[in-house]
Amino acid sequence: MADQDILTTLKILIIGESGVGKSSLLLRFTDDTFDIEQSATIGVDFKVKTITVDGNTVKLAIWDTAGQERFRTLTPSYYRGAQGVILVYDVTKRNTFAKLDMWLNELETYSTRTDIVKMLVGNKIDKEKVEVSREDGLKFARRHAMLFIEASAKTRDGVQCAFEELVQKIVQTPGLWEMDHRPQGSFSVTNQRDDMDNYCSYCSVL
Amino acid sequence: MTHHSIVSETVESPPDEPEPSTDFDDEEAEKLPKALEDMMNRENDFPARAHCLVRWYGLREFVTICPSNPNHPIMSPSKAKLLLSSATIAANNTNCQVPIFVQVLWPNEKMYLGVGLGSGVRTDYDMVHFRQAPPQCTHLTGLLDVFKNKLQCCVTSPPVLVSVRFTYVLTEWPHTLWTQQPPDFDATLTEVGFSDLGKLPFGALSDPVSELHLSATWPCVTEDVLVDSDVYSDLDPGSAPLWTARLVTSTSQPCLLSEYLTDFIHVCRNNQSISQILGPDYTQDVDGEIAEFSSALDRLTEPSVPSLSSVVGRVRKGHKGARKFVSAQSGENSPIPTDILIPILNYLFPDAEGDDPSDPYPSTLTQVPEWLAPNGEAADHPLKALLSNMKSSGVDGLVWRLAVVLCHVAHSLGGLPAAAHLWHEVILELRFRWDHAVLIPGVSSGVPDLASTILHQKFQMLNCCINRRKAREQSSSSKSSNEDGDDEDEFYECDEDMEEDEKSNGSRSSWDKPEGRIKRCAKLRLLKTNEPLYIPFTQEPAPMTEDRLEEHAGVLLRLGTDALGSQLRARMMSASLLSDMESFKAANPSAVLEDFVRWYSPRDWIEEEGSDPNQPPQGSLSTRMQIPGNMWREVWTNAKPVPARRQKRLFDDTREAEQVLHWLASLGPGSLCCNLLPTATHASLCRLAEERLLFDLPAPSSLPQPCHSSSLATVLDVITQRAVRLSRQPPDTNKYQELAEQIAEVEVCVARAQSVRHKILGDAARAEGSSQHLEELVLRLLDSPEVSLEGGPRGPAALAVRKLFQQARKASLLLDDSPQDDFSLPEHRQSYGNSGHSGAVSELGKPMGREYLLRTLVPFPTAYSRPVPHRMFAVLLPNEFRLTGAFSQDTTFS
Ligand SMILES: Nc1nc2c(ncn2[C@@H]2O[C@H](COP(=O)(O)OP(=O)(O)OP(=O)(O)O)[C@@H](O)[C@H]2O)c(=O)[nH]1
Ligand SMILES: [Mg+2]
């Protein structure tokens, strides 16, 4: 893909408790593989991928963070400037779902923008013993104005979709990815002055 | 010569006024052109704001032909005639009923000749223009004669309708002087608290409301109702049925807040360094950086830190001594005199003043200042939601104060050199604080807040370094006082049972003696030895400012996206993992990786059910941890048992602090101010919001849609939104300049409103229950070009206006009495006085302008012609007289 065709580069974050499958989801999305040998992430890792959504080609720089508590002092520094976030929980582990509030808090504290687009992903739906129902996930997502999908990094269910919908939403959100080059919502003082002069110089009787 | 035309349709008719009805013409065989209807339509009399041709002829639609180059006006009458007759032919050929005007003579004379055709009626628009009115034209009787003379030939006494308007002008505002002066530092210096320093000024430098025009109108009466001749006039404004008022505001009014901001932005455009501006005396130790680094380590070990007192030369008692004098260079000829510099530095670093500083920093920094609702209760600041997203720094913190003070410096303390000087002093102060481990005040605590400006992050970073340094020096001093090497004291926070365990374990050889324990980790016991599992002291990860983080992320990015890149990244990031593992090993000498994982990443330990709590648990690591050669196993193998305090520091506070100081010192005053732009704007917006009046005001009509018709508060919101957006981008001075202009627009509006309020309401402006009527009047005066005063000359509004005129008269009479002040009356007033007209001298003084409008509908040019409209308008000003006539003739029956 030629560089000039790329609309913009977006920074996407993947966060969530350790072991929920963040790195696996990313690997599935970028390389379409599932690596059982994926080791626990240390600090942050990242991958890039170019995708086309609604005819717009965007480059994604996706930052995969470690979910381990101990890294939590380190990873939020990389939240900065992200336009989108994928928040992952493990449908077979209730406590990873219960921790979502904490992650949202973390996001609010450290991401430098408030209009960041959020996608909630319930991972590992290929597994038998499901502890978090689809409805619970959906309800949580609704309450926090997030997109929602259930997925499996192992079977590739929903993975592509999760990233595409997120990107679609970001591209549609004005002001999230462009620079302030158009004077939107502002007004020009000078033009109007000229106008006024035209009338003012004539207008008053005295 | 090219011609252009302006078509002004329904110029500025008040929105509620219906379009002139054309119904009454419908039965007539031939409809008169719209222009003629307009001429006779009394709705068009004395428009509030319109093109002069609208005013003079009552037209709503017309075409003007003007020279494209205003420097080459049409001076010769023949040329004007030629143009006019060409226009006539053109109008005839195209059946155009819109009157056409040709502008002649210099544009400022506003001389037009015009012609209108249509429905067999031709109207000639003509005018005369003198400096002085001919005597018979100074009163209604005379003007009526002129008008009737013109039409005399056909009807002896045509029924003439007359409208008259007298306008009184108030230019002097006794004892309501409405100007603001920038704070005078020399004057306030002696006063307590130096309070102006922390505030941005607000308001107009000169009165933004220059004149109040009061017009008394007698609309459309028959000529015999009014008597106004050279000997007698019953045109007393007090008897006029209609009173209207309008304000004349000075355009491009300079206002303090926006001027300060503009001067500040001006400094931003400079990219010189401090020493380039002030000379080599003011060189910071930027270039000695390498020496600085190498000596930095020595400094750690030296008991007395080498102070910069030789350079700084300040005297402090302990850390909180009084600032006696500042840097050696700050002599008599430095840009900011010492007696002004010291209070500024004390304002920025109040703790240096002693234990009871006059302007201490707030205990916590917030994005918006406190806000009290009108009832005095705490409420949300109106800009809170918007400003919470602003990348700035807390209200009244160090960065904020620096921005505000630099606004003062840029505007009134000497501009760029003064800014360079102050910044130089601030850097010295920061250097002093690092060297003496004194925290920087007015900065949010904790690690750099990435949602604040880079400058604030740098200050936070410096404080992190100072804190670390203090902690380090404290622990090393307590250690050296405890020569026996009994480090047990250090960890006195340990649980009681630790001691017992220690004892029960019997003697342990000194090399694997546990070190650096905080406390037990729940009830966990080590897998191999069944000893309690202890949480170790660990190093905190290195705090980073956003620029360093960006660099760091850049390095990570450059490693590429393949597996090898990921490996390298993990290795780079594993420093803190290694450090934690070493601390863990030191605290739990007989631990295995499984034990570490149970503490560090419990989810990767899969425990078998039903194991005995007093026995080491049975279980295994997760698959991903079991993979041979995975990073975790590798790091664990390499980790030596070393307690955190003996490890290589992950965060080298000395190095970091030097880097921050170097970064700060390499900022010239221009770049400094660029970094402060969001905060200076933030402070300005909060300053605007302090003017409560703002929230009652309409948006100025000078602002286009969609802001028009909304309130000034929405304008402020729009500006704030833009400021928030800009704060997240690299500073662009041009965009901030635009923002400053918009802020100026709001400031003028508020200043104007304050002025009007003050004038109309007087002292009542401050009283609680000030009259509702008058409040409304103030708003209407501000909002519309002309306001009719409810109740006419006897209404409450008129009363207030009257009072103003009376006060002005009283004041001018006083001046008249004093002999040395006889030139105090404005020139034009006297010349009007000399014009010899009897014009009613009322409580309002003499009218400044008088307008007479006469019109009639009579057959012309012969008695057998159709009755056609004629209109004559006279305006008498002190130095100007203009008589315009629109006389029609029936071209069919002539
Ligand atoms: N059955 C199943 N297992 C999965 C799925 N996704 C991930 N896993 C497994 O879950 C474990 C953790 O996956 P990771 O991708 O390393 O988890 P993570 O969220 O990146 O964990 P941290 O890096 O520690 O934050 C691995 O053993 C994966 O093989 C999935 O969709 N289905
Ligand atoms: Mg991972």
Side-chain angles (χ1 to χ4, degrees):
Chain A
M1 183 71 57
D3 252 17
Q4 63 263 31
D5 295 336
I6 290 174
L7 181 64
T8 184
T9 300
L10 299 178
K11 178 170 176 178
I12 310 289
L13 279 176
I14 308 184
I15 59 174
E17 287 290 293
S18 173
V20 295
K22 299 183 293 297
S23 305
S24 304
L25 282 168
L26 180 56
L27 197 66
R28 171 59 81 192
F29 175 62
T30 55
D31 301 14
D32 198 20
T33 54
F34 182 71
D35 183 4
I36 190 84
E37 307 216 332
Q38 176 86 53
S39 74
T41 309
I42 297 172
V44 295
D45 196 5
F46 104 112
K47 292 207 178 304
V48 285
K49 180 162 167 119
T50 304
I51 64 165
T52 303
V53 176
D54 296 344
N56 297 310
T57 301
V58 292
K59 191 167 153 185
L60 305 180
I62 309 161
W63 290 78
D64 174 25
T65 62
Q68 252 134 23
E69 175 111 30
R70 292 284 309 172
F71 287 117
R72 218 162 276 162
T73 39
L74 186 71
T75 49
S77 354
Y78 297 92
Y79 289 12
R80 202 175 108 79
Q83 287 108 336
V85 62
I86 293 183
L87 178 50
V88 189
Y89 67 93
D90 180 344
V91 294
T92 67
K93 293 219 165 66
R94 187 85 206 174
N95 60 353
T96 65
F97 182 74
K99 281 285 180 84
L100 289 178
D101 274 318
M102 188 279 301
W103 283 103
L104 281 178
N105 246 331
E106 194 104 326
L107 194 66
E108 178 145 339
T109 318
Y110 295 103
S111 85
T112 48
R113 48 191 342 143
T114 49
D115 46 359
I116 188 166
V117 178
K118 288 167 261 181
M119 161 70 81
L120 181 64
V121 175
N123 190 33
K124 308 197 187 178
I125 46 165
D126 58 287
K127 284 180 136 186
E128 301 267 286
K129 202 184 75 197
V130 170
E131 289 183 5
V132 184
S133 72
R134 199 187 141 72
E135 282 63 47
D136 286 354
L138 198 58
K139 232 190 273 166
F140 185 89
R142 281 228 189 90
R143 197 165 63 239
H144 294 92
M146 303 165 86
L147 302 166
F148 174 69
I149 198 165
E150 285 193 320
S152 163
K154 194 169 178 181
T155 64
R156 73 162 68 84
D157 266 339
V159 177
Q160 188 73 19
C161 211
F163 283 89
E164 277 174 5
E165 277 189 23
L166 181 73
V167 170
Q168 194 172 33
K169 180 80 184 291
I170 295 172
V171 171
Q172 287 165 0
T173 306
L176 193 50
W177 52 277
E178 323 102 303
M179 294 290 274
D180 173 75
H181 34 59
R182 25 173 212 163
Q184 90 193 133
S186 73
F187 42 85
S188 143
V189 174
T190 41
N191 290 350
Q192 200 58 24
R193 280 241 172 86
D194 295 348
D195 248 43
M196 289 295 290
D197 282 348
N198 277 345
Y199 285 108
C200 280
S201 57
Y202 295 106
C203 75
S204 175
V205 60
L206 297 177
Chain B
M1 179 179 290
T2 51
H3 299 149
H4 68 253
S5 62
I6 313 162
V7 179
S8 330
E9 280 184 273
T10 59
V11 181
E12 300 274 331
S13 63
D16 52 346
E17 177 190 318
E19 283 298 298
S21 155
T22 52
D23 291 349
F24 65 91
D25 276 334
D26 282 352
E27 303 102 70
E28 290 183 33
E30 270 183 304
K31 211 176 142 198
L32 287 176
K34 186 159 179 285
L36 296 182
E37 285 169 27
D38 286 341
M39 259 168 62
M40 300 308 282
N41 186 348
R42 48 174 290 191
E43 302 285 340
N44 296 353
D45 297 354
F46 313 122
R49 177 180 291 160
H51 191 281
C52 55
L53 292 176
V54 178
R55 183 175 305 284
W56 296 335
Y57 297 113
L59 297 174
R60 284 167 170 267
E61 186 180 3
F62 51 89
V63 175
T64 61
I65 301 172
C66 317
S68 61
N69 182 347
N71 294 322
H72 295 289
I74 302 161
M75 298 303 278
S76 87
S78 59
K79 197 168 184 181
K81 282 226 174 68
L82 186 70
L83 263 172
L84 202 59
S85 50
S86 329
T88 314
I89 294 166
N92 234 330
N93 291 346
T94 55
N95 202 11
C96 166
Q97 299 199 339
V98 178
I100 301 170
F101 288 86
V102 176
Q103 183 167 30
V104 295
L105 305 182
W106 292 100
N108 61 359
E109 293 183 61
K110 295 183 195 163
M111 282 296 282
Y112 293 85
L113 298 174
V115 65
L117 301 171
S119 315
V121 179
R122 174 193 167 103
T123 310
D124 287 293
Y125 299 92
D126 221 336
M127 65 175 75
V128 288
H129 187 201
F130 301 122
R131 270 183 64 79
Q132 289 291 328
Q136 85 268 26
C137 291
T138 59
H139 45 79
L140 184 58
T141 317
L143 288 165
L144 274 169
D145 288 345
V146 173
F147 190 56
K148 286 175 181 166
N149 259 335
K150 188 91 182 163
L151 303 169
Q152 202 174 34
C153 49
C154 18
V155 186
T156 37
S157 177
V160 179
L161 285 176
V162 178
S163 299
V164 181
R165 181 166 83 153
F166 282 10
T167 299
Y168 300 84
V169 175
L170 188 61
T171 47
E172 270 138 78
W173 309 95
H175 72 75
T176 57
L177 196 67
W178 194 265
T179 56
Q180 304 277 320
Q181 291 301 318
D184 179 354
F185 283 97
D186 289 329
T188 48
L189 202 57
T190 47
E191 288 166 23
V192 215
F194 206 55
S195 58
D196 284 335
L197 196 56
K199 290 198 205 96
L200 286 171
F202 177 92
L205 274 161
S206 55
D207 199 328
V209 176
S210 47
E211 293 175 5
L212 175 79
H213 291 189
L214 175 69
S215 298
T217 308
W218 291 265
C220 245
V221 289
T222 48
E223 56 179 299
D224 46 0
V225 173
L226 299 173
V227 180
D228 180 53
S229 71
D230 54 347
V231 291
Y232 172 78
S233 171
D234 57 11
L235 292 178
D236 170 25
S239 68
L242 179 68
W243 272 28
T244 54
R246 63 151 74 205
L247 291 174
V248 177
T249 52
S250 18
T251 48
S252 70
Q253 185 62 47
C255 278
L256 282 170
L257 176 62
S258 23
E259 285 216 335
Y260 271 58
L261 198 53
T262 304
D263 289 345
F264 182 85
I265 292 170
H266 186 70
V267 173
C268 294
R269 298 187 197 274
N270 182 285
N271 49 20
Q272 288 175 296
S273 69
I274 295 176
S275 55
Q276 276 172 321
I277 295 166
L278 297 181
D281 281 354
Y282 289 84
T283 311
Q284 303 277 349
D285 51 348
V286 176
D287 300 320
E289 183 200 357
I290 298 150
E292 202 65 54
F293 276 134
S294 61
S295 70
L297 275 174
D298 305 343
R299 211 183 284 172
L300 293 179
T301 51
E302 272 174 56
S304 64
V305 179
S307 82
L308 283 177
S309 55
S310 51
V311 190
V312 181
R314 61 189 88 194
V315 180
R316 280 163 180 265
K317 292 191 203 94
H319 293 320
K320 293 189 169 165
R323 199 188 311 267
K324 288 278 163 51
F325 51 92
V326 277
S327 73
Q329 300 97 328
S330 297
E332 283 307 297
N333 41 16
S334 50
I336 306 178
T338 310
D339 56 343
I340 292 183
L341 182 62
I342 301 265
I344 293 180
L345 287 175
N346 280 339
Y347 179 64
L348 293 175
F349 300 97
D351 55 337
E353 243 184 295
D355 288 329
D356 191 20
S358 39
D359 286 303
Y361 281 110
S363 47
T364 50
L365 300 183
T366 51
Q367 283 290 90
V368 283
E370 279 173 16
W371 186 263
L372 296 180
N375 60 10
E377 279 169 29
D380 274 352
H381 192 280
L383 296 177
K384 184 179 176 187
L386 290 171
L387 285 178
S388 65
N389 293 328
M390 181 127 183
K391 192 172 162 66
S392 174
S393 67
V395 172
D396 205 28
L398 174 57
V399 176
W400 176 285
R401 286 191 181 183
L402 193 58
V404 171
V405 162
L406 277 166
C407 282
H408 285 287
V409 166
H411 185 268
S412 35
L413 290 176
L416 187 66
H421 183 200
L422 177 60
W423 182 226
H424 172 79
E425 293 296 336
V426 168
I427 293 170
L428 286 181
E429 175 72 30
L430 295 172
R431 157 70 63 191
F432 176 93
R433 282 170 185 266
W434 162 243
D435 285 338
H436 294 83
V438 184
L439 284 176
I440 300 158
V443 175
S444 300
S445 60
V447 297
D449 175 6
L450 302 179
S452 67
T453 52
I454 180 80
L455 209 60
H456 182 249
Q457 291 179 37
K458 293 284 180 185
F459 292 160
Q460 285 184 301
M461 189 68 177
L462 213 46
N463 270 351
C464 285
C465 295
I466 292 168
N467 273 326
R468 289 283 171 99
R469 175 180 186 162
K470 276 163 86 174
R472 206 181 60 231
E473 284 171 357
Q474 235 161 38
S475 75
S476 67
S477 72
S478 72
K479 197 167 160 192
S480 57
S481 67
N482 230 334
E483 289 294 328
D484 313 332
D486 184 8
D487 350 11
E488 221 75 339
D489 306 9
E490 223 181 316
F491 303 117
Y492 47 81
E493 305 116 86
C494 298
D495 283 357
E496 284 295 300
D497 59 347
M498 175 178 142
E499 313 274 330
E500 290 165 33
D501 284 319
E502 201 100 6
K503 277 171 204 136
S504 67
N505 260 327
S507 63
R508 201 192 266 278
S509 49
S510 64
W511 61 266
D512 69 345
K513 192 177 165 205
E515 282 185 283
R517 291 174 168 177
I518 296 182
K519 59 169 187 194
R520 279 198 60 174
C521 180
K523 290 274 166 236
L524 289 191
R525 287 175 176 271
L526 297 183
L527 291 171
K528 287 228 178 103
T529 58
N530 205 24
E531 290 169 297
L533 193 155
Y534 286 94
I535 296 173
F537 280 100
T538 50
Q539 292 200 49
E540 279 166 49
M544 275 196 265
T545 51
E546 65 184 31
D547 51 339
R548 298 295 309 285
L549 204 59
E550 207 92 341
E551 277 170 34
H552 208 256
V555 171
L556 294 181
L557 282 171
R558 273 194 292 281
L559 294 174
T561 58
D562 53 357
L564 184 67
S566 285
Q567 269 256 304
L568 285 171
R569 256 192 299 277
R571 203 165 294 277
M572 271 185 68
M573 316 267 320
S574 66
S576 70
L577 182 63
L578 176 67
S579 154
D580 288 348
M581 281 180 170
E582 295 198 328
S583 310
F584 187 80
K585 276 190 175 177
N588 303 286
S590 41
V592 290
L593 175 60
E594 280 79 356
D595 293 317
F596 178 75
V597 167
R598 283 160 68 209
W599 164 56
Y600 206 82
S601 182
R603 240 185 281 280
D604 282 300
W605 169 253
I606 298 142
E607 197 160 311
E608 281 167 25
E609 309 268 325
S611 42
D612 180 353
N614 293 318
Q615 285 302 305
Q618 300 295 304
S620 62
L621 288 178
S622 67
T623 10
R624 60 178 188 172
M625 286 292 182
Q626 282 181 21
I627 299 154
N630 86 67
M631 197 76 185
W632 292 68
R633 214 164 262 288
E634 190 185 314
V635 177
W636 177 257
T637 320
N638 294 334
K640 294 180 230 9
V642 184
R645 74 193 143 80
R646 281 213 310 269
Q647 289 170 8
K648 180 175 178 287
R649 275 182 289 149
L650 289 177
F651 177 68
D652 183 342
D653 49 67
T654 312
R655 219 178 84 101
E656 292 293 335
E658 290 301 339
Q659 272 179 359
V660 170
L661 288 168
H662 173 70
W663 186 88
L664 293 171
S666 61
L667 286 184
S671 345
L672 169 71
C673 289
C674 272
N675 280 307
L676 287 170
L677 271 174
T679 311
T681 310
H682 185 179
S684 304
L685 292 169
C686 289
R687 183 65 188 84
L688 279 185
E690 268 177 50
E691 300 298 324
R692 297 298 178 103
L693 190 53
L694 187 152
F695 298 94
D696 298 331
L697 297 178
S701 49
S702 60
L703 299 177
Q705 309 288 343
C707 299
H708 187 87
S709 80
S710 59
S711 65
L712 196 55
T714 26
V715 174
L716 184 63
D717 281 354
V718 170
I719 296 174
T720 307
Q721 274 160 17
R722 180 125 199 261
V724 169
R725 242 194 334 269
L726 286 187
S727 73
R728 306 194 162 275
Q729 295 164 16
D732 176 339
T733 41
N734 292 331
K735 285 180 180 162
Y736 278 97
Q737 183 58 50
E738 284 170 25
L739 214 53
E741 281 159 20
Q742 297 174 353
I743 287 175
E745 198 83 9
V746 175
E747 190 182 10
V748 169
C749 285
V750 177
R752 195 177 286 159
Q754 284 173 337
S755 172
V756 176
R757 234 174 91 85
H758 191 78
K759 291 179 171 88
I760 302 284
L761 296 169
D763 294 330
R766 271 171 293 277
E768 270 310 299
S770 59
S771 160
Q772 189 65 32
H773 281 298
L774 295 184
E775 290 279 2
E776 262 165 36
L777 176 65
V778 168
L779 292 183
R780 281 169 56 218
L781 278 171
L782 289 164
D783 198 21
S784 36
E786 186 154 27
V787 171
S788 79
L789 303 183
E790 246 170 89
R794 306 271 157 246
L799 215 67
V801 174
R802 269 191 158 126
K803 214 157 76 188
L804 286 174
F805 274 93
Q806 283 161 6
Q807 284 166 349
R809 261 176 79 76
K810 248 182 243 156
S812 73
L813 286 177
L814 278 178
L815 287 174
D816 266 351
D817 290 346
S818 58
Q820 67 269 51
D821 251 347
D822 50 3
F823 54 84
S824 63
L825 276 183
E827 181 79 22
H828 50 255
R829 278 175 189 250
Q830 297 202 341
S831 68
Y832 179 66
N834 294 341
S835 75
H837 174 57
S838 59
V841 181
S842 67
E843 50 174 352
L844 303 174
K846 283 185 178 170
M848 182 72 81
R850 288 176 293 146
E851 292 157 279
Y852 295 94
L853 202 166
L854 318 173
R855 60 185 141 204
T856 188
L857 193 71
V858 292
F860 200 81
T862 67
Y864 315 105
S865 308
R866 269 189 300 163
V868 284
H870 311 275
R871 187 180 194 273
M872 193 174 87
F873 180 76
V875 57
L876 291 105
L877 299 177
N879 283 313
E880 192 183 343
F881 168 73
R882 190 186 296 265
L883 190 63
T884 70
F887 292 97
S888 312
Q889 47 186 306
D890 184 347
T891 46
T892 335
F893 301 100
S894 51

